[in-house]
């Protein structure tokens, strides 16, 4: 299982945003939608062994599960519509009990810290960061949980938390990438078992 | 210089399409917009040594030049608006003479074959294809011109043309990727000089 956690710093936590303005009024939800697409899509196929966790604000995480997701398309707008649909049902989730808001899309009332704690039990938490160790110098992790930020840096609190929780901190190349591009490179690294099996 | 040619098979050649329906009525223009973003964006920066050529229908190619492009954002909708703006001025381009329709965005009245011929003079034409040779087995090409298709396979005519023109045919991993994800992996391969310098 590969998992990706993406922190959205300006993204909405209620469904009152316009699908026509994802990069503006919706607080760059477009970035997170591209991350969902990068994490889950293959050509004419889905990666069933992948989950993506979008952290929205302080207390909401929307999860896309590649094994069960339906009605997901690669474009930003339709993915944002699934996020909006999840937020419409946010009152139905309580504590650690999620609500499945459409097939394979669930909403948890958990923020970044609680989401990380929940996932740290599942595998190796890897922070993708331009100052990390080159990924080629590390062994390919078992059940990686990659943690990324949107177009903003992690806040000081998030960075401190990650220092405690992350098992590894790696970089994927010499140039800093957008979060969705980093997800694509991470998949390629894992698909090829460290860029070796093509 | 790195260049990417992406063939859109269903995409519009006139500007009468809705930005709200890129994945439907606009013939999956969303795919091509994601390719532009994958080709040109770094985190908080643009790749100035890159050009992307979107082939639309039989006789139009819209080119984004990383060195001079302005008003480009990573989201699909705003990129599609630049394509639409280019198509509004399509009558101003004649033969091999392009029209610059906004800073760094140009429209040529050239189809796939003429675009490939034009670019083959500039560098090494590389077809990205799931049945190609593993990229790690090839030397890193000088001035690569990567050629990709949208969500459709190349047509028989396009494939025949590529057999003539392409210098190399490579695959980027064991799994078939969306065109925009392939662009991201190709960049990472080149950024790291064959996955070696991190």
């Amino acid at each position: 299982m590969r998992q990706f956690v993406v922190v959205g710093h300006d993204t909405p936590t209620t469904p009152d945003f316009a699908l026509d303005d994802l990069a503006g009024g919706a607080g760059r939800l477009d970035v997170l939608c591209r991350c969902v697409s990068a994490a889950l899509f293959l050509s004419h196929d889905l990666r069933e062994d992948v989950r993506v966790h979008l952290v929205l604000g302080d207390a909401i995480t929307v999860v896309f599960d590649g094994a069960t997701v339906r009605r997901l398309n690669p474009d930003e707008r339709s993915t944002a519509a699934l996020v909006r649909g999840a937020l419409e049902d946010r009152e139905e989730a309580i504590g650690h009990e999620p609500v499945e808001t459409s097939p394979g899309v669930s909403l948890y009332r958990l923020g970044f810290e609680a989401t990380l704690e929940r996932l740290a039990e599942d595998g190796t938490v890897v922070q993708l960061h331009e100052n990390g160790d080159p990924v080629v110098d590390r062994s390919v992790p078992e059940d990686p949980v990659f943690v990324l930020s949107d177009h903003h840096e992690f806040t000081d609190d998030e960075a401190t938390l990650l220092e405690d929780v992350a098992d590894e901190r790696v970089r994927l190349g010499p140039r800093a990438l957008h979060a969705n591009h980093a997800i694509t490179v991470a998949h390629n690294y894992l698909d090829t078992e460290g860029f070796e099996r093509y």
Side-chain angles (χ1 to χ4, degrees), chain A:
Chain A
M1 164 79 58
R2 304 175 188 174
Q3 300 192 77
F4 297 91
V5 179
V6 191
V7 180
H9 290 95
D10 300 331
T11 40
T13 55
T14 59
D16 47 352
F17 61 87
L19 297 178
D20 294 345
D21 195 24
L22 297 178
R28 300 304 310 277
L29 187 58
D30 63 307
V31 177
L32 274 64
C33 292
R34 287 195 293 281
C35 288
V36 171
S37 187
L40 294 183
F41 277 101
L42 290 165
S43 182
H44 306 293
D45 205 359
L46 281 172
R47 293 184 183 267
E48 295 187 3
D49 60 339
V50 174
R51 286 191 197 132
V52 199
H53 309 260
L54 306 182
V55 179
L56 309 177
D58 292 335
I60 287 181
T61 298
V62 176
V63 184
F64 289 74
D65 185 337
T68 55
V69 73
R70 297 290 175 273
R71 301 199 289 270
L72 181 69
N73 291 298
D75 65 297
E76 295 163 11
R77 185 184 175 93
S78 64
T79 306
L82 290 175
V83 172
R84 193 168 68 172
L87 290 171
E88 282 169 359
D89 295 339
R90 68 194 182 284
E91 301 297 343
E92 294 175 32
I94 299 171
H96 281 240
E97 286 302 311
V99 55
E100 186 169 38
T101 57
S102 68
V105 181
S106 301
L107 181 143
Y108 287 77
R109 294 191 72 104
L110 300 175
F112 182 51
E113 181 166 3
T115 290
L116 266 193
E117 282 172 2
R118 192 171 73 81
L119 299 178
E121 298 167 11
D122 296 351
T124 309
V125 177
V126 182
Q127 181 182 0
L128 295 179
H129 195 285
E130 58 198 277
N131 294 328
D133 299 326
V135 69
V136 288
D137 293 345
R138 311 302 294 246
S139 58
V140 177
E142 293 275 332
D143 297 318
V145 180
F146 292 101
V147 186
L148 307 91
S149 185
D150 60 1
H151 59 300
H152 292 302
E153 294 284 320
F154 287 112
T155 65
D156 290 346
D157 284 353
E158 289 161 357
T160 302
L161 177 66
L162 272 168
E163 278 180 29
D164 282 348
V165 176
D167 301 297
E168 301 194 19
R169 192 184 193 199
V170 302
R171 68 182 159 98
L172 297 170
R175 310 186 81 166
L177 304 179
H178 281 199
N180 56 311
H181 300 157
I183 289 172
T184 298
V185 174
H187 267 320
N188 185 249
Y189 169 74
L190 295 166
D191 288 347
T192 58
E193 295 176 35
F195 303 122
E196 290 183 2
R197 290 168 63 92
Y198 267 77

